Amino acid sequence: MKILIVDDNNTNLRLLTGMVQKLHGCSPIPFSSPADALAAMPDLEFDVALLDYMMPVYNGVEFLTEMLHFDKYAGVPVIFVTADLDLTTRMDALNAGAIDFLTKPVDFQEFKARVQNIAALADARRRHSESLHAGQSAGAESLREQEREIIQRITLAAGYKDPQAAQQRMRVAAYSEAIARAAGLPETFCRDIRLAATLFDNTTALASDTSLLKRGKMTEADFRRRTSAGTAGDESTSLLQLSAEIGRTYRERFDGQGYPNRLKGTAIPVAGRIVAIASSFDALISERQFKQAWPFEKAVDYIRGKARSHFDPALIQAFGAAVEEIGAIAFAETVPMGFEAA
């Protein structure tokens, strides 16, 4: 695994280079000048990029913008290294396409965990792409394992940036599994939706998850970025396709008044209908900067009251049947990812 490092501070560059060299199977490609690194493109071959934020000539965001003019680097995960904790700075980096951050001074154990996870994500995506191009010879089970790994790595990376939001996704995924099982859906689907729904609101952090850290209302551009990200990927029936399908459809309404496509009734895929209930319920019982958490029973009654308008009435019945299990999930201190269940 080759890791590009761009940092104009030679001390920091040596430190990051040394850290990469300590990682099994990773080799550094260091540059002290962002201009020199850009001049070497597109001949450079690397799987992950570590970029300093504050640099002369090109800062990290400007460098990344220039780097992405080369199509071959479009899918490369980018980690920013910065001493700036300002949210605006981090939003600029996310807008440009960063997937994660490391804060100076960099702790090696944190560096190791984050970079190895991102490197493994890049490798899993590469192997999955190669397997898809290989067609039937790859084997369905092999593809499934690669997709499980990709989803797990994305979830871990998102959790580094915002642990609270990561737990929200774990709860929504667990609620979705409980609703699906109460609705009598096949056991394989119940397990699959638990995995796929972990990405319900940033369906490919493979792409920029700009709005992940935003506080307040999403703009239409934010929403379209998220839902269009979910359209990427292969056309086979797969966990990644299920994640994409959920991301595109969980904001639709049963009465056809949702978005982005105003789908109605069973034209909305069942996974989207389930996650619509699970995500709405969790939003009600969760405290946010702009609202208090609702009491559990009040939230349950509200969701039930939206049958036929917002939600599928048959799935609302399943929600009611699973409400005891949902309560246990809601009040748990932490909710596991559920990857062991696949």
Side-chain angles (χ1 to χ4, degrees):
M1 186 69 61
K2 296 179 180 179
I3 299 180
L4 175 70
I5 308 170
V6 184
D7 193 320
D8 66 300
N9 184 299
N10 285 323
T11 300
N12 290 336
L13 185 65
R14 286 194 299 270
L15 177 65
L16 293 172
T17 299
M19 287 183 174
V20 170
Q21 289 172 332
K22 291 179 181 178
L23 302 181
H24 177 71
C26 293
S27 57
I29 305 175
F31 281 87
S32 60
S33 164
D36 288 348
L38 287 173
M41 294 179 182
D43 296 328
L44 286 178
E45 300 289 341
F46 54 92
D47 305 287
V48 178
L50 282 172
L51 306 180
D52 185 30
Y53 184 80
M54 294 300 295
M55 295 186 290
V57 185
Y58 297 95
N59 67 29
V61 168
E62 292 166 341
F63 177 89
L64 177 54
T65 301
E66 292 298 317
M67 184 183 99
L68 292 179
H69 287 157
F70 300 102
D71 290 342
K72 69 181 291 186
Y73 303 128
V76 172
V78 175
I79 304 172
F80 271 74
V81 184
T82 178
D84 192 341
L85 299 179
D86 181 68
L87 182 60
T88 301
T89 297
R90 299 202 168 206
M91 286 306 305
D92 286 345
L94 286 171
N95 277 320
I99 194 172
D100 205 354
F101 298 95
L102 285 165
T103 302
K104 296 178 181 179
V106 178
D107 175 78
F108 177 69
Q109 292 305 319
E110 180 185 17
F111 176 89
K112 180 179 179 181
R114 295 194 181 204
V115 174
Q116 284 187 331
N117 180 59
I118 298 300
L121 169 61
D123 183 58
R125 290 172 59 192
R126 178 188 55 78
R127 287 186 283 108
H128 184 255
S129 178
E130 290 174 352
S131 295
L132 288 175
H133 285 123
Q136 297 290 337
S137 62
E141 189 57 34
S142 174
L143 286 172
R144 179 181 173 81
E145 286 302 309
Q146 290 166 14
E147 290 181 339
R148 285 181 62 240
E149 182 181 355
I150 289 169
I151 291 172
Q152 184 176 21
R153 297 290 178 182
I154 294 170
T155 304
L156 286 170
Y160 288 142
K161 286 179 285 189
D162 193 337
Q164 185 176 359
Q167 271 300 295
Q168 176 209 10
R169 294 186 192 92
M170 297 305 100
R171 289 194 303 270
V172 169
Y175 300 149
S176 298
E177 180 185 27
I179 294 168
R181 191 166 283 116
L185 294 170
E187 185 61 27
T188 299
F189 178 84
C190 296
R191 293 196 302 267
D192 283 357
I193 198 170
R194 173 75 178 266
L195 297 174
T198 58
L199 303 181
F200 80 95
D201 71 338
N202 63 318
T203 312
T204 53
L206 302 165
S208 170
D209 55 353
T210 301
S211 48
L212 178 61
L213 292 179
K214 279 195 175 178
R215 300 291 184 250
K217 197 170 183 178
M218 279 196 303
T219 64
E220 177 150 349
D222 291 329
F223 175 74
R224 291 192 180 280
R225 186 184 299 112
R226 276 173 143 163
T227 54
S228 65
T231 64
D234 66 287
E235 295 301 320
S236 64
T237 301
S238 67
L239 290 172
L240 291 178
Q241 185 188 21
L242 184 59
S243 289
E245 180 180 82
I246 290 168
R248 291 194 300 270
T249 61
Y250 83 100
R251 291 183 180 272
E252 301 286 356
R253 285 176 38 160
F254 199 70
D255 63 5
Q257 297 305 303
Y259 56 94
N261 296 312
R262 292 190 178 272
L263 300 179
K264 183 176 182 179
T266 55
I268 307 166
V270 66
R273 282 179 272 148
I274 289 172
V275 174
I277 296 170
S279 61
S280 296
F281 175 74
D282 193 75
L284 291 174
I285 65 168
S286 299
E287 183 176 351
R288 303 288 168 83
Q289 285 191 347
F290 52 87
K291 77 168 193 68
Q292 296 287 322
W294 284 28
F296 183 84
E297 289 300 333
K298 180 182 177 181
V300 169
D301 289 344
Y302 177 87
I303 293 294
R304 282 173 163 161
K306 294 297 181 180
R308 293 185 176 83
S309 59
H310 287 62
F311 308 123
D312 182 338
L315 292 174
I316 288 297
Q317 287 188 351
F319 170 80
V323 75
E324 185 174 340
E325 182 180 353
I326 287 170
I329 295 164
F331 295 114
E333 188 172 338
T334 58
V335 179
M337 283 190 279
F339 291 98
E340 70 283 349

